Amino acid sequence: MPAADTLLSSVFGFPAFRPGQEEIVNAVIAGRNTLAIMPTGGGKSLCYQLPALAREGVTVVISPLIALMRDQVRALREAGVEAGALTSGNTEEETDAVFAALDENRLKLLYMAPERLASGGTLPLLRRIGTSLIAVDEAHCVSQWGHDFRPDYLRIGELRRALGVPLAAFTATADAETRSEIITRLFDGETPDTFLHGFDRPNIHLAFAAKDSPRRQILAFADARRGQSGIVYCATRAKTESLAKALSEDGHPACHYHGGMEPDARRAVEARFQQEDGLIVVATVAFGMGVDKPDIRWVAHADLPKSIEAYYQEIGRAGRDGAPAETLTLYGADDIRLRRAQIDEGLAPPERRAADHARLNALLGLAEAQKCRRESLLAYFGESGAACGNCDLCESPPELFDATEAVRKALSAILRTGEYFGSGHLTDILLGNETAKVRERGHDALPTFGVGKEFTRSQWQAIFRQMMAQDLVRPDPERHGALRMTEPARPILRGEESITLRKDTVKAAKSRPAAKMLVSEEDAPLLSALKAKRRALAEAAGFPAYMVFNDRTLIEMAEKRPATRDAMARITGVGATKLEKYGDAFLSVITGDAPAPEHPARRALSGRAAGGIYDELLKVQAELARGPDGLDKPMSCPAGLLAKVAALRDPDMGALERLLGAKRAERFGPAFFDVLQNA
């Protein structure tokens, strides 16, 4: 079977593995049970697709979403790989085609949904077709505590035992608890080769902002990225609809998506998002695992996500092609109250609720971070790193102040009012506002009445928000969101510890600057032309534009401006099949001329070292066509024979003579041998 690095280049068009991929690929090819936890966009799919081509037999891929499977199958076919899917969404013709390919031993990857494992005919089918590997995508779906739990994932371990084949499980979201559950349920508790790779996505810009007219903030963020594909996540279904309408009225192609929509309507949005460049989908988290579009350039959260894991997974849908992407997360005190209440009012046992509060605390700590956000995010996942230079706090460090006295005043107001009031009423007390509510309860007589006049109302709201974010106070759902002091606040109240807060207010937040250019100003017109060509080819073929080439590949073309097929073959993402299908069309855009015609034997060597050797052999042949003195009868080698000579590995004169035959070996052999030795 072909070597892994050969397949990586010739099929997928990548010059090298991404960090961590090669070790996983080698483990899977070797047939070892494998568990890989990799960041979203870190190249998980390649880690089972490439081994499927390097191994005998069929690799069965169990994936949770039909849309995801169909997209991966189409992308593989575009790369020249025989793949198919058996799903409930198949037409009869599609299913017949898959079975025909299996019967003819052509298919290398067979995708199926976990629900198909319940069918009595699945196991006999998988035995008959020679299944040699099971790959499980989104393996965290086996966790019964996870929000993505799929009951049929529990059948996968039984399938592995019945087939007696290795299993490779992949996920981007698996804390220690979930990893343990995966090992128990998929591997019968026997620890597989486990790979936990870096969570850093350095191409994604991180930014948070306190809510201040959040609709205006989202519209401004989208406007600066007009024409780029993006996702806006919202906490409620109603908000997805109203915000999508506002974006549409502002001239953006936008649509909404949530779990309350009819299945056909949801599928229509999914299909439209995959097909269209520049579409914005405003969605709840229902728009989740099925998003496999590599050129999403931005993700915005109109509301605070429910946990740091959810935040990481959702922003990870941006920039999966490795090109620059941006994020913005809006948050406010109401978000914190909502998320706390959802945890406290849930049906989970106390230890699970405590863990969920801890996850929310980690996200709130990231939102109110006082230094590099990427450092804070990676630290949560157990990694360390220097300041990234690609987040809002690295670009514009926040102004800090010693907030010990302010926090003590706020805590005193909370305690002196019996922990029965929210931040609005507490702010009135601290500012000395004699509202009817303050007078009715006698709170104008408290020692804390009016002690906080050095701050404005918006500044006090920012202080309370940061206190909630640092878990010094929590909204109490049994007291309608009234703030209660937590244990970590007591040392501050007693004067035993100090605290520093950000000196921000909820005044109009500075909007993010215009989106960073994907290429230099000089290369921008060429990138636009390449995108137009990609869109035309994709529309003609009836599939998403990124399946021709993703943004990262087009950016590299615009920057490097390849002028030959050999140079084009060295662009990341241009494999042999795509070079043959699309190479000439994109070269025409770059050079302004149609590439000179080449013999098919030479075209097949494009981008390989053998291509350059072929050209040298062709020159030598021209020089010796009439012999060394130019007086002999003309002689040449067919292009196919020349290609075979160029592809010779570890050549010797004997092998060369057998390949050329006596007459051609006499004329060209020594000179060809010199070329091969010096290559």
Side-chain angles (χ1 to χ4, degrees), residues 575-655:
T577 300
K578 288 193 175 183
L579 178 66
E580 186 61 32
K581 291 179 73 170
Y582 305 122
D584 288 352
F586 284 88
L587 280 170
S588 297
V589 174
I590 295 167
T591 64
D593 295 309
E598 288 181 322
H599 191 282
R602 175 60 181 90
R603 290 172 68 91
L605 300 178
S606 296
R608 293 163 52 188
I613 297 173
Y614 180 101
D615 295 339
E616 289 298 315
L617 294 172
L618 204 59
K619 290 178 187 176
V620 169
Q621 177 179 264
E623 293 169 1
L624 296 174
R626 286 184 173 272
D629 300 322
L631 303 174
D632 297 334
K633 184 179 179 180
M635 183 183 293
S636 66
C637 300
L641 178 58
L642 215 57
K644 289 179 180 178
V645 173
L648 275 176
R649 293 188 178 184
D650 302 322
D652 57 60
M653 277 302 296

Side-chain angles (χ1 to χ4, degrees), residues 270-285:
E270 290 167 359
R272 188 181 168 196
F273 188 57
Q274 293 285 30
Q275 296 277 359
E276 287 187 35
D277 275 340
L279 182 68
I280 300 171
V281 174
V282 187
T284 61
V285 293

Side-chain angles (χ1 to χ4, degrees), residues 519 523-535 558 589:
V519 294
D523 294 331
L526 176 55
L527 179 60
S528 295
L530 292 169
K531 284 188 171 184
K533 173 58 70 174
R534 176 181 67 176
R535 184 165 57 250
V589 174

Side-chain angles (χ1 to χ4, degrees), residues 17 44 68 214 223 235 268 273 317 329 387 408 441 469 485 490 507 555 577 587 591 612:
F17 287 104
K44 293 190 298 297
L68 199 65
D223 190 57
F273 188 57
R317 293 177 182 127
T329 302
R408 290 180 68 190
R441 289 161 175 76
M485 188 174 74
R490 297 192 183 280
K507 66 184 179 184
I555 289 167
T577 300
L587 280 170
T591 64

Side-chain angles (χ1 to χ4, degrees), residues 45-106:
S45 300
L46 182 89
C47 291
Y48 56 81
Q49 291 173 349
L50 193 155
L53 304 184
R55 290 173 55 87
E56 298 289 348
V58 176
T59 292
V60 172
V61 183
I62 297 171
S63 183
L65 291 169
I66 292 174
L68 199 65
M69 289 187 274
R70 294 178 76 90
D71 287 340
Q72 289 203 9
V73 167
R74 283 197 295 184
L76 284 165
R77 288 176 178 166
E78 273 300 292
V81 176
E82 288 277 4
L86 292 175
T87 76
S88 58
N90 281 20
T91 63
E92 187 175 339
E93 292 76 14
E94 287 173 332
T95 298
D96 288 345
V98 172
F99 279 116
L102 288 169
D103 290 339
E104 295 165 15
N105 295 319
R106 288 188 286 109

Side-chain angles (χ1 to χ4, degrees), residues 164-426:
V165 299
L167 184 147
F170 299 86
T171 181
T173 53
D175 53 24
E177 187 178 9
T178 305
R179 288 202 297 273
S180 176
E181 200 166 350
I182 290 171
I183 291 169
T184 298
R185 299 188 182 281
L186 297 187
F187 300 100
D188 292 333
E190 294 183 13
T191 303
D193 280 19
T194 302
F195 300 89
L196 178 59
H197 281 294
F199 285 85
D200 193 10
R201 294 283 306 283
N203 63 310
I204 299 180
H205 184 280
L206 307 179
F208 282 71
K211 284 186 176 179
D212 173 34
S213 302
R215 176 172 295 190
R216 176 188 58 77
Q217 289 171 285
I218 293 293
L219 289 174
F221 189 78
D223 190 57
R225 289 145 191 86
R226 193 172 288 272
Q228 297 182 2
S229 297
I231 303 173
V232 182
Y233 281 109
C234 301
T236 66
R237 295 174 177 180
K239 194 167 186 177
T240 67
E241 297 181 12
S242 62
L243 191 49
K245 182 180 179 184
L247 284 162
S248 297
E249 290 171 350
D250 201 35
H252 297 276
C255 54
H256 67 273
Y257 184 104
H258 56 68
M261 296 166 60
E262 291 297 321
D264 287 347
R266 290 203 305 272
R267 281 193 288 271
V269 172
E270 290 167 359
R272 188 181 168 196
F273 188 57
Q274 293 285 30
Q275 296 277 359
E276 287 187 35
D277 275 340
L279 182 68
I280 300 171
V281 174
V282 187
T284 61
V285 293
F287 195 63
M289 288 187 300
V291 183
D292 193 30
K293 183 180 171 76
D295 52 0
I296 297 167
R297 297 270 65 89
W298 58 270
V299 170
H301 283 92
D303 302 296
L304 188 74
K306 72 174 190 177
S307 70
I308 196 163
E309 285 88 355
Y311 166 79
Y312 176 80
Q313 189 177 50
E314 287 151 19
I315 64 166
R317 293 177 182 127
R320 296 177 68 155
D321 55 5
E326 297 181 273
T327 67
L328 174 67
T329 302
L330 302 181
Y331 66 103
D334 287 343
D335 291 302
I336 301 172
R337 292 188 190 95
L338 171 66
R339 295 307 187 192
R340 294 283 188 212
Q342 287 175 334
I343 295 169
D344 288 328
E345 294 169 6
L347 301 176
E351 63 273 14
R352 170 61 61 167
R353 290 202 297 271
D356 288 343
H357 276 301
R359 292 186 177 99
L360 178 59
N361 288 347
L363 178 60
L364 295 171
L366 180 64
E368 298 289 2
Q370 299 175 5
K371 59 179 184 178
C372 175
R373 293 200 194 276
R374 189 165 268 101
E375 279 190 71
S376 301
L377 180 61
L378 293 179
Y380 176 80
F381 290 111
E383 297 181 23
S384 59
C388 71
N390 196 30
C391 73
D392 55 344
L393 297 184
C394 281
E395 293 170 349
S396 181
E399 189 179 352
L400 308 176
F401 76 107
D402 183 345
T404 308
E405 192 60 32
V407 170
R408 290 180 68 190
K409 289 177 180 178
L411 292 171
S412 177
I414 289 170
L415 292 176
R416 290 179 184 278
T417 54
E419 299 180 303
Y420 268 97
F421 298 92
S423 60
H425 182 68
L426 295 168

Side-chain angles (χ1 to χ4, degrees), residues 154-173:
L154 300 176
R155 301 177 185 271
I156 297 173
E158 180 183 341
L159 178 69
R160 179 185 64 84
R161 290 191 298 273
L163 291 175
V165 299
L167 184 147
F170 299 86
T171 181
T173 53

